[in-house]
């Protein structure tokens, strides 16, 4: 899990150049005047533009930079945007701190940990709009900002909420609702990139991971594939319709309830207590263990102190409560 504000350091140069590269790589039709552009033209796109378009760069520089994390769709506007960024990068390289470069904050892999997510957002919004205090993920983020006369719409920069907001932690839906609200309030300032864990969860909600439709991927499990094919022949009413999807969803809920009962009963309901003891041993002795010993213990107790999400639901943490 990480959070960066790119300003007045080497990261800002690299990030800005990545932004420029992404604009160029996405491609735009070159105007006729650019067809035989030389290296000077490539270094200074404004030179390949009409006088009117070139003059537009200076007059709209601040506006361009304020939305520099969004690629302009109109080719000449995108050239103007790139030229403006190049000018500011040159300033920053020559005299660090003088370039009016866009501020970009990035958070990812909060995995249902709403408390940590709120702490990271509090820090980011303090830097981007002057928010004071700690956000509560259970309350509207915009309302908490408005209480201080602030708004997500007015943040000085962009926030990228990268993937894996779901899974592992206990508050995935809470994290999802925070992201949803922020994107709805400030769609031009807050962006979300789906992670593999999120995609898996969204797929579950859509029934993609339930074998109710033809073409379901059994990933080589022939026994399961043959069993489903047999049931498809015996009970066609529970396949290939929306009603069938709801039937399978009910069975999934029953399975989850059975797993919850198993977790509560596992080791006489003392799995959590036993895990706490192992974690204490882990904290006491882990500095004397080699990598293989650390891997084995972490897998067994479901506690990974060497990563930022230390308690995924695996090992004892997944088997019992």
């Amino acid at each position: 899990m990480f959070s960066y504000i790119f300003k007045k350091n080497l990261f800002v140069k690299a990030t800005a150049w990545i932004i420029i590269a992404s604009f160029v790589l996405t491609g735009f039709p070159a105007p006729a005047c650019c067809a035989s552009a030389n290296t000077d033209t490539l270094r200074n796109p404004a030179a390949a533009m009409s006088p009117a378009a070139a003059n537009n760069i200076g007059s709209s520089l601040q506006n361009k930079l304020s939305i520099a994390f969004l690629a302009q769709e109109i080719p000449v506007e995108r050239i103007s945007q790139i030229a403006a960024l190049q000018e500011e990068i040159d300033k920053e390289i020559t005299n660090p701190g003088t370039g009016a470069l866009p501020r970009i904050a990035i958070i990812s892999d909060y995995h249902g940990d709403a408390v940590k997510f709120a702490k990271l957002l509090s820090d980011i919004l303090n830097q981007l709009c002057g928010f004071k205090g700690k956000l509560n993920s259970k309350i509207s983020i915009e309302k908490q900002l408005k209480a201080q006369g602030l708004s997500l719409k007015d943040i000085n920069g962009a926030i990228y909420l990268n993937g894996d907001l779901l899974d592992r932690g206990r508050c995935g839906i809470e994290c999802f609702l925070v992201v949803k609200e922020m994107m709805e309030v400030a769609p031009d300032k807050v962006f979300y990139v789906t992670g593999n864990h999120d995609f898996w969860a969204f797929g579950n909600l859509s029934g993609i991971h339930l074998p109710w439709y033809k073409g379901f991927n059994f990933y080589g499990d022939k026994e399961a594939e043959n069993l489903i094919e047999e049931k498809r022949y015996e009970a066609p009413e529970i396949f290939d319709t929306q009603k069938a999807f709801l039937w399978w969803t009910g069975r999934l809920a029953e399975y989850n309830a059975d797993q919850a009962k198993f977790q509560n009963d596992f080791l006489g309901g003392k799995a959590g207590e036993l895990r706490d003891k192992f974690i204490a041993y882990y904290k006491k002795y882990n500095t004397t263990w080699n990598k293989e010993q650390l891997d084995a213990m972490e897998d067994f107790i479901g506690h990974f102190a060497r990563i930022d999400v230390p308690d995924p639901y695996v090992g004892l943490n997944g088997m019992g409560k």
Side-chain angles (χ1 to χ4, degrees):
M1 190 181 297
F2 54 90
S3 169
Y4 297 122
I5 296 292
F6 298 127
K7 186 181 181 184
K8 297 184 180 180
N9 54 34
L10 292 175
F11 282 116
V12 75
K13 303 179 187 71
T15 303
W17 280 113
I18 289 171
I19 293 171
I20 288 176
S22 69
F23 293 160
V24 174
L25 289 174
T26 53
F28 49 81
C33 60
C34 297
S36 59
N38 56 29
T39 54
D40 290 335
T41 299
L42 294 174
R43 184 66 190 87
N44 180 17
M49 302 163 63
S50 67
N55 289 335
N56 184 52
I57 294 177
S59 62
S60 62
L61 177 59
Q62 292 305 316
N63 181 54
K64 297 296 181 190
L65 290 175
S66 69
I67 56 171
F69 33 81
L70 290 175
Q72 296 297 305
E73 295 183 3
I74 301 172
V76 81
E77 289 291 318
R78 193 181 301 185
I79 292 174
S80 172
Q81 189 176 37
I82 292 172
L85 282 169
Q86 286 180 327
E87 181 180 338
E88 297 305 311
I89 290 172
D90 288 341
K91 289 180 184 177
E92 187 72 19
I93 292 173
T94 303
N95 188 6
T98 62
L101 292 167
R103 308 182 77 198
I104 302 174
I106 303 173
I107 311 177
S108 76
D109 297 274
Y110 25 107
H111 284 287
D113 191 332
V115 174
K116 287 187 178 179
F117 184 27
K119 288 180 179 178
L120 288 168
L121 282 178
S122 299
D123 177 60
I124 283 173
L125 291 173
N126 170 263
Q127 297 181 61
L128 293 184
C129 69
F131 173 77
K132 305 295 183 184
K134 297 181 179 179
L135 291 167
N136 184 340
S137 58
K138 298 182 183 298
I139 302 173
S140 163
I141 303 300
E142 182 70 0
K143 285 183 179 179
Q144 293 177 77
L145 290 176
K146 284 187 174 180
Q148 297 185 19
L150 306 170
S151 173
L152 287 167
K153 299 175 183 178
D154 302 325
I155 60 175
N156 180 27
I159 300 175
Y160 280 82
L161 302 172
N162 286 353
D164 294 350
L165 61 92
L166 301 171
D167 198 16
R168 293 182 178 165
R170 300 178 186 275
C171 301
I173 293 177
E174 193 171 309
C175 292
F176 170 81
L177 292 175
V178 170
V179 173
K180 179 175 180 291
E181 180 204 7
M182 293 178 69
M183 291 181 63
E184 289 175 346
V185 171
D188 61 334
K189 299 289 185 73
V190 180
F191 307 91
Y192 165 66
V193 180
T194 302
N196 61 311
H197 289 258
D198 308 334
F199 184 76
W200 176 82
F202 298 153
N204 274 345
L205 292 172
S206 301
I208 291 175
H209 297 147
L210 296 173
W212 62 283
Y213 60 95
K214 290 179 180 178
F216 178 83
N217 191 342
F218 290 92
Y219 297 97
D221 189 339
K222 287 297 181 182
E223 183 178 355
E225 185 174 359
N226 292 336
L227 177 62
I228 291 299
E229 190 59 34
E230 178 183 329
K231 295 299 180 183
R232 182 182 290 277
Y233 177 78
E234 294 177 356
E237 68 276 5
I238 61 171
F239 293 94
D240 303 323
T241 66
Q242 187 63 27
K243 184 178 180 180
F245 165 55
L246 295 176
W247 184 91
W248 279 100
T249 302
R251 304 295 75 72
L252 178 61
E254 291 175 0
Y255 171 80
N256 288 339
D258 182 69
Q259 289 298 297
K261 183 178 183 304
F262 170 81
Q263 287 185 317
N264 286 324
D265 295 343
F266 183 66
L267 294 178
K270 294 186 177 181
E273 180 181 334
L274 179 62
R275 179 173 178 268
D276 289 341
K277 291 181 180 179
F278 274 106
I279 290 177
Y281 288 129
Y282 176 93
K283 291 179 178 179
K284 185 175 181 179
Y285 298 111
N286 73 86
T287 56
T288 65
W289 294 343
N290 60 32
K291 182 180 182 300
E292 288 71 21
Q293 290 171 315
L294 284 169
D295 289 343
M297 182 59 79
E298 288 176 347
D299 287 341
F300 173 62
I301 61 179
H303 179 73
F304 298 81
R306 293 177 290 171
I307 63 175
D308 291 325
V309 185
D311 297 297
Y313 289 108
V314 298
L316 279 178
N317 199 35
M319 293 288 286
K321 297 181 179 180

